[in-house]
Amino acid sequence: MSGDAAAVSPRSQWPLYEVFVRGKRGLNHVHVGSLHAPDDEMALRHARDLYTRRNEGVSIWVVRAEYITASSPDEKDPFFAPSGDKVYRHPTFYEIPDNVPHM
Amino acid sequence: MTTVRSDDVEFPHSREHDVTSSPNELQRHFERTIEHDHRIEPRDWMPDGYRKTMVRQIAQHAHSEIIGMQPEGNWITRAPSLRRKAILLAKVQDEAGHGLYLYSAAETLGADREDLTVRLIEGRQKYSSIFNYPTLTFADVGVIGWLVDGAAICNQVPLCRSSYGPYARAMIRICKEESFHQRQGYELLMTMMRGTEAQRRMVQDATDRWWWPSLMMFGPPDVESPNTAQSMAWKVKRHTNDELRQRFVDMTVPQAQALGVTLPDPDLRWNPERGHYDFGEIDWAEFKQIISGNGPCNAQRVAARRAAHEGGEWVREAAAAYAAKHTGGRTGPDRHKSTYAASAAVQDRHKSTYGDSGSAA
């Protein structure tokens, strides 16, 4: 046993990684879950074994959870208020007569 | 990213919310989210009871998947063909995967994975009673796939709509994979039923031994399941134990007929008035014995899990040492904090509140 606390940290002190998988070419990477791993490379290998046992992906991203900056999950969050009243950003806001084609 | 943060000790999970949110407003918002069939997500405010229930349920479920590797893992080296061996390996690997999806989901509530493992090997948290029965013959592998995984599917399909988002998502992934488990088991049994008389007897014997324990997997009868009402109100649970048990019986009887085995219950018969099969009384005394730790394999299962955990310690240490060496010590104790769990304070707080008194699922 080494005296270095970091070197002998138990598994729970392995950092948490969030895992994103691209299902197939042409699709975005999508968050699928998380796992613990001692380093980036092991995280990628664990992610492959854990989340793509049945050809669920062609590409995996792993990122340390601590590096993710997140907004509050609350749907009433004022953070999202700026987009709440801008209905004119949607195509359905504009009335176009039915006889105008291709619009 | 939020405007105001408070150090309100009474509602530490609400750090992300505006300080003007009163306890009642938070509670109402939580209830409305559930009413509208929306999912509760990790950093939402939730009542302590809900958090505690979810951690307990998800942890027990995760432990069941992990312990569930043992009864069948026992047969990997003795599978009768390479085909069966490859299938069994894949199935047991899936169970490990299911356990890990679920531990991840539990962590989003502030639980600590190491702590959950310790609770399991110290016998402070439970797992499904079914895994405390021995697997005596290779027919047991087939019957576990057919009945045990069949019962698990019955239980788990409604959990895909559980109100807690990460749990529901894990269940969707798990249910997709369970279907393979059940089908490989049934196919194995069909193969044996086409074999010799001795093989048919093995299938019947395994069915006789696993039928009643499979029915117990749905938990105590509704009248003795005091938590059911609250779990239903929170939409953590979508059907009662007895409803799910009945559904399983109704689904399984025709499968047994197609297979050519007899289910070991003289009272099992179609009831045209109810539109369901009636079945005999379950031996709840046996169930209680097993969940209290006195089943045939309880000690063995936990000892095996403990041996694996302790035996793997040097590997975990070596991997951490390697990572520290190659990243210049980036992997330190404070660097594993989840984006989900609100704060260390919340985690500590919940360590003391969840889990010790878990009853079987």
Side-chain angles (χ1 to χ4, degrees), chain B residues 177-188:
Chain B
E177 299 182 351
E178 289 287 351
S179 169
F180 139 62
H181 297 180
Q182 193 186 24
R183 291 171 67 104
Q184 66 81 33
Y186 196 80
E187 188 228 39
L188 187 164

Side-chain angles (χ1 to χ4, degrees), chain A residues 11 34-36 46 49-51 53, chain B residues 62 65-66 93-107 113 170 174 305:
Chain A
R11 183 186 47 180
S34 60
L35 50 79
H36 289 272
H46 288 330
D49 292 344
L50 188 55
Y51 291 106
R53 288 195 299 281
Chain B
E65 300 282 357
I66 295 298
Q93 191 188 5
D94 272 355
E95 309 294 3
H98 296 176
L100 296 178
Y101 304 153
L102 290 162
Y103 283 129
S104 289
E107 282 180 294
R113 190 173 303 204
I174 288 172
R305 181 69 192 93

Side-chain angles (χ1 to χ4, degrees), chain A residues 1 7 9 11-16 18 31-32 34 36 38 50 53-54 65-68 71-74, chain B residues 17 29 43-44 94 97 101 104 107 113-114 117 173 177 180 316-317 319 321 323 330-331 335-336 339-340:
Chain A
M1 297 258 286
S9 58
R11 183 186 47 180
S12 64
Q13 295 188 2
W14 287 1
L16 184 72
E18 298 296 338
H31 182 243
V32 293
S34 60
H36 289 272
L50 188 55
R53 288 195 299 281
R54 290 178 175 78
E66 66 189 293
Y67 296 149
I68 295 176
S71 69
S72 152
D74 194 325
Chain B
H17 296 263
H29 183 55
R43 298 188 310 143
D44 287 340
D94 272 355
Y101 304 153
S104 289
E107 282 180 294
R113 190 173 303 204
E114 186 77 10
T117 302
R173 190 171 276 277
E177 299 182 351
F180 139 62
R316 296 191 294 277
E317 284 176 5
R330 251 191 340 148
T331 312
R335 297 203 152 262
H336 67 287
T339 30
Y340 291 133

Side-chain angles (χ1 to χ4, degrees), chain B residues 15 51 56 70 79 86 107 128 143 166 171 221 272 293 335 348 355 358:
Chain B
R15 285 168 157 277
R51 185 183 295 270
R56 195 189 65 193
Q70 293 184 36
E107 282 180 294
S128 178
V143 170
M171 291 318 307
R335 297 203 152 262
D348 287 345

